[in-house]
Amino acid sequence: AQSVTQPDIHITVSEGASLELRCNYSYGATPYLFWYVQSPGQGLQLLLKYFSGDTLVQGIKGFEAEFKRSQSSFNLRKPSVHWSDAAEYFCAVGARQAGTALIFGKGTTLSVSS
Amino acid sequence: EPEVTQTPSHQVTQMGQEVILRCVPISNHLYFYWYRQILGQKVEFLVSFYNNEISEKSEIFDDQFSVERPDGSNFTLKIRSTKLEDSAMYFCASSTVSNTEAFFGQGTRLTVV
């Protein structure tokens, strides 16, 4: 079955501390992987994506993610969290072909403490 | 920066009524999608649309749902007879033909009472 697991429902990080959000996937074809962020009352903003090539990908707002095929993981990281990073983060997997469904995880809510 | 726009941002409707949710995809994108997110749950795929036809749909997208591109810019989702369980945030998205990278709108929160 195709699925995305985000094991952490809620994480609290101190401002300035590092962050890692976990994502594991199960997908039958070559996975195309995405991280989206959703601020309260807002839509889904693409943070970064992995299609192929270098397994460490850089995104917007200082985020990066590393694809590990052997572990079926695509964890999101940021070296120093800012209060404005508080939001909900979704990992998603899909096929390359346009028109196919993205499968989302349940999301991780990030709180940032001062 | 081009973006997907959705209207209205919030719609309240009575159970059994028909609703139409509207979206303007990014202008050079040719694939269009609807997703929904029931409160507290994950984002779920409903349907994708290309060249005036449904490309793929999920089990959720049953006969009460329909999609249409009524003109060159709008893409709509119609729910014929709303149920309480249709209450959710509905996201429109679009992508190019190259791959599945989808750009999402801000969403329409549908509340069925």
PDB file of all heavy atoms in Angstrom, chain A residues 2 6 12-13 15 28 30 35-36 38 44 48 51-53 60 63 70 72 75 78 80-81 84 88 95 98 105 114:
ATOM      1  N   GLN A   2       0.406   2.254  -0.663  1.00  0.00           N
ATOM      2  CA  GLN A   2       1.154   3.504  -0.729  1.00  0.00           C
ATOM      3  C   GLN A   2       0.772   4.376   0.451  1.00  0.00           C
ATOM      4  O   GLN A   2      -0.414   4.579   0.726  1.00  0.00           O
ATOM      5  CB  GLN A   2       0.841   4.214  -2.041  1.00  0.00           C
ATOM      6  CG  GLN A   2       1.234   3.382  -3.257  1.00  0.00           C
ATOM      7  CD  GLN A   2       0.811   4.025  -4.555  1.00  0.00           C
ATOM      8  OE1 GLN A   2      -0.040   4.894  -4.563  1.00  0.00           O
ATOM      9  NE2 GLN A   2       1.414   3.601  -5.648  1.00  0.00           N
ATOM     10  N   GLN A   6       4.324  10.235   9.105  1.00  0.00           N
ATOM     11  CA  GLN A   6       5.039  11.266   9.851  1.00  0.00           C
ATOM     12  C   GLN A   6       4.834  10.902  11.329  1.00  0.00           C
ATOM     13  O   GLN A   6       3.763  11.147  11.875  1.00  0.00           O
ATOM     14  CB  GLN A   6       4.492  12.657   9.527  1.00  0.00           C
ATOM     15  CG  GLN A   6       4.756  13.066   8.073  1.00  0.00           C
ATOM     16  CD  GLN A   6       4.222  14.446   7.764  1.00  0.00           C
ATOM     17  OE1 GLN A   6       3.298  14.599   6.970  1.00  0.00           O
ATOM     18  NE2 GLN A   6       4.809  15.463   8.366  1.00  0.00           N
ATOM     19  N   THR A  12       7.879  20.566  19.702  1.00  0.00           N
ATOM     20  CA  THR A  12       8.191  21.916  20.181  1.00  0.00           C
ATOM     21  C   THR A  12       9.696  22.084  20.207  1.00  0.00           C
ATOM     22  O   THR A  12      10.416  21.253  20.769  1.00  0.00           O
ATOM     23  CB  THR A  12       7.616  22.161  21.590  1.00  0.00           C
ATOM     24  OG1 THR A  12       6.190  22.027  21.545  1.00  0.00           O
ATOM     25  CG2 THR A  12       7.959  23.565  22.065  1.00  0.00           C
ATOM     26  N   VAL A  13      10.152  23.169  19.607  1.00  0.00           N
ATOM     27  CA  VAL A  13      11.581  23.453  19.514  1.00  0.00           C
ATOM     28  C   VAL A  13      11.826  24.875  19.996  1.00  0.00           C
ATOM     29  O   VAL A  13      11.006  25.771  19.733  1.00  0.00           O
ATOM     30  CB  VAL A  13      12.049  23.298  18.048  1.00  0.00           C
ATOM     31  CG1 VAL A  13      13.490  23.714  17.885  1.00  0.00           C
ATOM     32  CG2 VAL A  13      11.875  21.869  17.587  1.00  0.00           C
ATOM     33  N   GLU A  15      13.488  28.494  19.927  1.00  0.00           N
ATOM     34  CA  GLU A  15      13.969  29.350  18.850  1.00  0.00           C
ATOM     35  C   GLU A  15      15.493  29.313  18.811  1.00  0.00           C
ATOM     36  O   GLU A  15      16.158  29.401  19.850  1.00  0.00           O
ATOM     37  CB  GLU A  15      13.490  30.797  19.051  1.00  0.00           C
ATOM     38  CG  GLU A  15      13.733  31.682  17.844  1.00  0.00           C
ATOM     39  CD  GLU A  15      13.010  33.010  17.938  1.00  0.00           C
ATOM     40  OE1 GLU A  15      12.557  33.364  19.042  1.00  0.00           O
ATOM     41  OE2 GLU A  15      12.891  33.687  16.906  1.00  0.00           O
ATOM     42  N   GLY A  28       5.160   2.272  -4.546  1.00  0.00           N
ATOM     43  CA  GLY A  28       5.526   1.206  -5.449  1.00  0.00           C
ATOM     44  C   GLY A  28       6.441   1.605  -6.583  1.00  0.00           C
ATOM     45  O   GLY A  28       7.224   0.800  -7.078  1.00  0.00           O
ATOM     46  N   THR A  30       9.026   4.766  -8.565  1.00  0.00           N
ATOM     47  CA  THR A  30      10.050   5.734  -8.176  1.00  0.00           C
ATOM     48  C   THR A  30       9.378   6.926  -7.516  1.00  0.00           C
ATOM     49  O   THR A  30       8.510   7.551  -8.120  1.00  0.00           O
ATOM     50  CB  THR A  30      10.829   6.209  -9.413  1.00  0.00           C
ATOM     51  OG1 THR A  30      11.434   5.084 -10.025  1.00  0.00           O
ATOM     52  CG2 THR A  30      11.878   7.236  -9.025  1.00  0.00           C
ATOM     53  N   TRP A  35       7.921  18.345   0.561  1.00  0.00           N
ATOM     54  CA  TRP A  35       7.530  18.880   1.857  1.00  0.00           C
ATOM     55  C   TRP A  35       6.753  20.173   1.610  1.00  0.00           C
ATOM     56  O   TRP A  35       7.209  21.055   0.889  1.00  0.00           O
ATOM     57  CB  TRP A  35       8.739  19.182   2.743  1.00  0.00           C
ATOM     58  CG  TRP A  35       9.234  18.008   3.521  1.00  0.00           C
ATOM     59  CD1 TRP A  35      10.293  17.198   3.220  1.00  0.00           C
ATOM     60  CD2 TRP A  35       8.713  17.512   4.763  1.00  0.00           C
ATOM     61  NE1 TRP A  35      10.456  16.226   4.180  1.00  0.00           N
ATOM     62  CE2 TRP A  35       9.490  16.406   5.134  1.00  0.00           C
ATOM     63  CE3 TRP A  35       7.658  17.906   5.591  1.00  0.00           C
ATOM     64  CZ2 TRP A  35       9.262  15.678   6.304  1.00  0.00           C
ATOM     65  CZ3 TRP A  35       7.420  17.190   6.753  1.00  0.00           C
ATOM     66  CH2 TRP A  35       8.217  16.080   7.099  1.00  0.00           C
ATOM     67  N   TYR A  36       5.568  20.234   2.247  1.00  0.00           N
ATOM     68  CA  TYR A  36       4.741  21.428   2.193  1.00  0.00           C
ATOM     69  C   TYR A  36       4.587  21.976   3.612  1.00  0.00           C
ATOM     70  O   TYR A  36       4.591  21.232   4.588  1.00  0.00           O
ATOM     71  CB  TYR A  36       3.351  21.113   1.646  1.00  0.00           C
ATOM     72  CG  TYR A  36       3.289  20.856   0.160  1.00  0.00           C
ATOM     73  CD1 TYR A  36       3.473  19.578  -0.356  1.00  0.00           C
ATOM     74  CD2 TYR A  36       3.020  21.899  -0.728  1.00  0.00           C
ATOM     75  CE1 TYR A  36       3.399  19.341  -1.720  1.00  0.00           C
ATOM     76  CE2 TYR A  36       2.944  21.668  -2.102  1.00  0.00           C
ATOM     77  CZ  TYR A  36       3.131  20.390  -2.580  1.00  0.00           C
ATOM     78  OH  TYR A  36       3.057  20.164  -3.929  1.00  0.00           O
ATOM     79  N   GLN A  38       2.042  24.553   5.999  1.00  0.00           N
ATOM     80  CA  GLN A  38       0.733  25.210   6.083  1.00  0.00           C
ATOM     81  C   GLN A  38       0.683  26.038   7.353  1.00  0.00           C
ATOM     82  O   GLN A  38       0.645  25.506   8.456  1.00  0.00           O
ATOM     83  CB  GLN A  38      -0.382  24.162   6.084  1.00  0.00           C
ATOM     84  CG  GLN A  38      -1.784  24.749   6.079  1.00  0.00           C
ATOM     85  CD  GLN A  38      -2.854  23.670   6.118  1.00  0.00           C
ATOM     86  OE1 GLN A  38      -2.653  22.595   6.670  1.00  0.00           O
ATOM     87  NE2 GLN A  38      -3.986  23.943   5.519  1.00  0.00           N
ATOM     88  N   LEU A  44      -1.230  25.468   1.230  1.00  0.00           N
ATOM     89  CA  LEU A  44      -0.032  24.632   1.280  1.00  0.00           C
ATOM     90  C   LEU A  44       1.053  25.270   0.424  1.00  0.00           C
ATOM     91  O   LEU A  44       0.868  25.472  -0.774  1.00  0.00           O
ATOM     92  CB  LEU A  44      -0.338  23.231   0.762  1.00  0.00           C
ATOM     93  CG  LEU A  44      -1.354  22.441   1.572  1.00  0.00           C
ATOM     94  CD1 LEU A  44      -1.846  21.238   0.799  1.00  0.00           C
ATOM     95  CD2 LEU A  44      -0.736  21.995   2.887  1.00  0.00           C
ATOM     96  N   LEU A  48      10.180  22.253  -0.510  1.00  0.00           N
ATOM     97  CA  LEU A  48      11.223  21.655  -1.338  1.00  0.00           C
ATOM     98  C   LEU A  48      10.706  20.359  -1.931  1.00  0.00           C
ATOM     99  O   LEU A  48       9.654  19.855  -1.541  1.00  0.00           O
ATOM    100  CB  LEU A  48      12.493  21.397  -0.525  1.00  0.00           C
ATOM    101  CG  LEU A  48      12.380  20.717   0.830  1.00  0.00           C
ATOM    102  CD1 LEU A  48      12.118  19.239   0.752  1.00  0.00           C
ATOM    103  CD2 LEU A  48      13.635  20.974   1.663  1.00  0.00           C
ATOM    104  N   PHE A  51      13.330  14.942  -6.835  1.00  0.00           N
ATOM    105  CA  PHE A  51      12.961  14.138  -7.997  1.00  0.00           C
ATOM    106  C   PHE A  51      14.034  13.098  -8.293  1.00  0.00           C
ATOM    107  O   PHE A  51      13.748  11.938  -8.504  1.00  0.00           O
ATOM    108  CB  PHE A  51      12.750  15.029  -9.222  1.00  0.00           C
ATOM    109  CG  PHE A  51      11.467  15.825  -9.195  1.00  0.00           C
ATOM    110  CD1 PHE A  51      11.211  16.783 -10.163  1.00  0.00           C
ATOM    111  CD2 PHE A  51      10.506  15.632  -8.222  1.00  0.00           C
ATOM    112  CE1 PHE A  51      10.036  17.513 -10.153  1.00  0.00           C
ATOM    113  CE2 PHE A  51       9.328  16.351  -8.190  1.00  0.00           C
ATOM    114  CZ  PHE A  51       9.087  17.307  -9.170  1.00  0.00           C
ATOM    115  N   SER A  52      15.282  13.541  -8.336  1.00  0.00           N
ATOM    116  CA  SER A  52      16.393  12.635  -8.630  1.00  0.00           C
ATOM    117  C   SER A  52      17.688  13.378  -8.353  1.00  0.00           C
ATOM    118  O   SER A  52      17.683  14.566  -8.022  1.00  0.00           O
ATOM    119  CB  SER A  52      16.349  12.155 -10.088  1.00  0.00           C
ATOM    120  OG  SER A  52      16.533  13.251 -10.964  1.00  0.00           O
ATOM    121  N   GLY A  53      18.806  12.675  -8.485  1.00  0.00           N
ATOM    122  CA  GLY A  53      20.110  13.328  -8.345  1.00  0.00           C
ATOM    123  C   GLY A  53      20.553  13.419  -6.900  1.00  0.00           C
ATOM    124  O   GLY A  53      20.335  12.492  -6.112  1.00  0.00           O
ATOM    125  N   ILE A  60      13.202  26.493   0.337  1.00  0.00           N
ATOM    126  CA  ILE A  60      13.040  27.882   0.760  1.00  0.00           C
ATOM    127  C   ILE A  60      13.119  27.985   2.275  1.00  0.00           C
ATOM    128  O   ILE A  60      13.036  26.963   2.984  1.00  0.00           O
ATOM    129  CB  ILE A  60      11.701  28.460   0.254  1.00  0.00           C
ATOM    130  CG1 ILE A  60      10.519  27.694   0.846  1.00  0.00           C
ATOM    131  CG2 ILE A  60      11.652  28.439  -1.270  1.00  0.00           C
ATOM    132  CD1 ILE A  60       9.169  28.339   0.567  1.00  0.00           C
ATOM    133  N   PHE A  63      15.314  25.596   4.745  1.00  0.00           N
ATOM    134  CA  PHE A  63      15.055  24.178   4.973  1.00  0.00           C
ATOM    135  C   PHE A  63      15.830  23.314   3.979  1.00  0.00           C
ATOM    136  O   PHE A  63      16.107  23.726   2.858  1.00  0.00           O
ATOM    137  CB  PHE A  63      13.559  23.873   4.842  1.00  0.00           C
ATOM    138  CG  PHE A  63      12.743  24.323   6.010  1.00  0.00           C
ATOM    139  CD1 PHE A  63      12.167  25.588   6.020  1.00  0.00           C
ATOM    140  CD2 PHE A  63      12.564  23.502   7.111  1.00  0.00           C
ATOM    141  CE1 PHE A  63      11.417  26.020   7.110  1.00  0.00           C
ATOM    142  CE2 PHE A  63      11.807  23.916   8.193  1.00  0.00           C
ATOM    143  CZ  PHE A  63      11.233  25.179   8.189  1.00  0.00           C
ATOM    144  N   SER A  70      17.389   3.654   1.121  1.00  0.00           N
ATOM    145  CA  SER A  70      17.477   2.414   1.905  1.00  0.00           C
ATOM    146  C   SER A  70      16.559   2.443   3.122  1.00  0.00           C
ATOM    147  O   SER A  70      16.119   1.394   3.605  1.00  0.00           O
ATOM    148  CB  SER A  70      18.919   2.174   2.350  1.00  0.00           C
ATOM    149  OG  SER A  70      19.348   3.232   3.193  1.00  0.00           O
ATOM    150  N   SER A  72      13.787   4.470   3.125  1.00  0.00           N
ATOM    151  CA  SER A  72      12.493   5.012   2.664  1.00  0.00           C
ATOM    152  C   SER A  72      12.127   6.249   3.480  1.00  0.00           C
ATOM    153  O   SER A  72      11.001   6.386   3.974  1.00  0.00           O
ATOM    154  CB  SER A  72      11.389   3.963   2.788  1.00  0.00           C
ATOM    155  OG  SER A  72      11.650   2.859   1.956  1.00  0.00           O
ATOM    156  N   ASN A  75      13.593  13.093   5.469  1.00  0.00           N
ATOM    157  CA  ASN A  75      13.473  13.942   6.655  1.00  0.00           C
ATOM    158  C   ASN A  75      13.812  15.388   6.357  1.00  0.00           C
ATOM    159  O   ASN A  75      14.744  15.685   5.602  1.00  0.00           O
ATOM    160  CB  ASN A  75      14.381  13.412   7.770  1.00  0.00           C
ATOM    161  CG  ASN A  75      13.940  12.059   8.278  1.00  0.00           C
ATOM    162  OD1 ASN A  75      12.847  11.591   7.973  1.00  0.00           O
ATOM    163  ND2 ASN A  75      14.810  11.415   9.053  1.00  0.00           N
ATOM    164  N   LYS A  78      16.273  21.869   9.580  1.00  0.00           N
ATOM    165  CA  LYS A  78      16.642  23.281   9.562  1.00  0.00           C
ATOM    166  C   LYS A  78      17.605  23.505  10.712  1.00  0.00           C
ATOM    167  O   LYS A  78      17.341  23.093  11.835  1.00  0.00           O
ATOM    168  CB  LYS A  78      15.403  24.183   9.705  1.00  0.00           C
ATOM    169  CG  LYS A  78      15.734  25.666   9.534  1.00  0.00           C
ATOM    170  CD  LYS A  78      14.496  26.527   9.420  1.00  0.00           C
ATOM    171  CE  LYS A  78      14.898  27.970   9.137  1.00  0.00           C
ATOM    172  NZ  LYS A  78      13.729  28.869   8.963  1.00  0.00           N
ATOM    173  N   SER A  80      18.550  26.248  12.349  1.00  0.00           N
ATOM    174  CA  SER A  80      18.205  27.212  13.388  1.00  0.00           C
ATOM    175  C   SER A  80      16.780  27.687  13.138  1.00  0.00           C
ATOM    176  O   SER A  80      16.500  28.385  12.163  1.00  0.00           O
ATOM    177  CB  SER A  80      19.184  28.392  13.364  1.00  0.00           C
ATOM    178  OG  SER A  80      18.814  29.366  14.322  1.00  0.00           O
ATOM    179  N   VAL A  81      15.903  27.322  14.038  1.00  0.00           N
ATOM    180  CA  VAL A  81      14.474  27.600  13.843  1.00  0.00           C
ATOM    181  C   VAL A  81      14.132  29.016  14.285  1.00  0.00           C
ATOM    182  O   VAL A  81      14.634  29.511  15.302  1.00  0.00           O
ATOM    183  CB  VAL A  81      13.644  26.566  14.635  1.00  0.00           C
ATOM    184  CG1 VAL A  81      12.195  26.987  14.740  1.00  0.00           C
ATOM    185  CG2 VAL A  81      13.740  25.202  13.977  1.00  0.00           C
ATOM    186  N   SER A  84       8.801  32.283  13.301  1.00  0.00           N
ATOM    187  CA  SER A  84       7.870  32.280  12.174  1.00  0.00           C
ATOM    188  C   SER A  84       7.763  30.904  11.498  1.00  0.00           C
ATOM    189  O   SER A  84       6.924  30.715  10.613  1.00  0.00           O
ATOM    190  CB  SER A  84       8.308  33.314  11.134  1.00  0.00           C
ATOM    191  OG  SER A  84       9.602  33.013  10.648  1.00  0.00           O
ATOM    192  N   GLU A  88       2.250  23.869  10.350  1.00  0.00           N
ATOM    193  CA  GLU A  88       2.094  22.431  10.160  1.00  0.00           C
ATOM    194  C   GLU A  88       2.846  22.034   8.894  1.00  0.00           C
ATOM    195  O   GLU A  88       2.770  22.710   7.871  1.00  0.00           O
ATOM    196  CB  GLU A  88       0.629  22.035  10.049  1.00  0.00           C
ATOM    197  CG  GLU A  88       0.417  20.529  10.060  1.00  0.00           C
ATOM    198  CD  GLU A  88      -0.943  20.115  10.601  1.00  0.00           C
ATOM    199  OE1 GLU A  88      -1.856  20.947  10.587  1.00  0.00           O
ATOM    200  OE2 GLU A  88      -1.076  18.941  11.012  1.00  0.00           O
ATOM    201  N   ALA A  95       4.095  10.052  -7.994  1.00  0.00           N
ATOM    202  CA  ALA A  95       4.835   9.586  -9.155  1.00  0.00           C
ATOM    203  C   ALA A  95       5.297  10.797  -9.956  1.00  0.00           C
ATOM    204  O   ALA A  95       4.885  11.920  -9.696  1.00  0.00           O
ATOM    205  CB  ALA A  95       3.943   8.703 -10.017  1.00  0.00           C
ATOM    206  N   ALA A  98       2.538  13.844 -14.323  1.00  0.00           N
ATOM    207  CA  ALA A  98       1.559  14.856 -13.943  1.00  0.00           C
ATOM    208  C   ALA A  98       0.159  14.241 -13.971  1.00  0.00           C
ATOM    209  O   ALA A  98      -0.135  13.360 -14.771  1.00  0.00           O
ATOM    210  CB  ALA A  98       1.631  16.035 -14.902  1.00  0.00           C
ATOM    211  N   GLY A 105       1.220  12.692   4.238  1.00  0.00           N
ATOM    212  CA  GLY A 105       1.221  12.251   5.618  1.00  0.00           C
ATOM    213  C   GLY A 105       0.232  13.067   6.435  1.00  0.00           C
ATOM    214  O   GLY A 105      -0.368  14.020   5.936  1.00  0.00           O
ATOM    215  N   SER A 114      10.152  30.485  22.938  1.00  0.00           N
ATOM    216  CA  SER A 114      11.193  31.531  23.023  1.00  0.00           C
ATOM    217  C   SER A 114      12.107  31.316  24.212  1.00  0.00           C
ATOM    218  O   SER A 114      11.851  30.476  25.061  1.00  0.00           O
ATOM    219  CB  SER A 114      10.533  32.903  23.126  1.00  0.00           C
ATOM    220  OG  SER A 114       9.644  32.907  24.225  1.00  0.00           O
TER     221      SER A 114
END
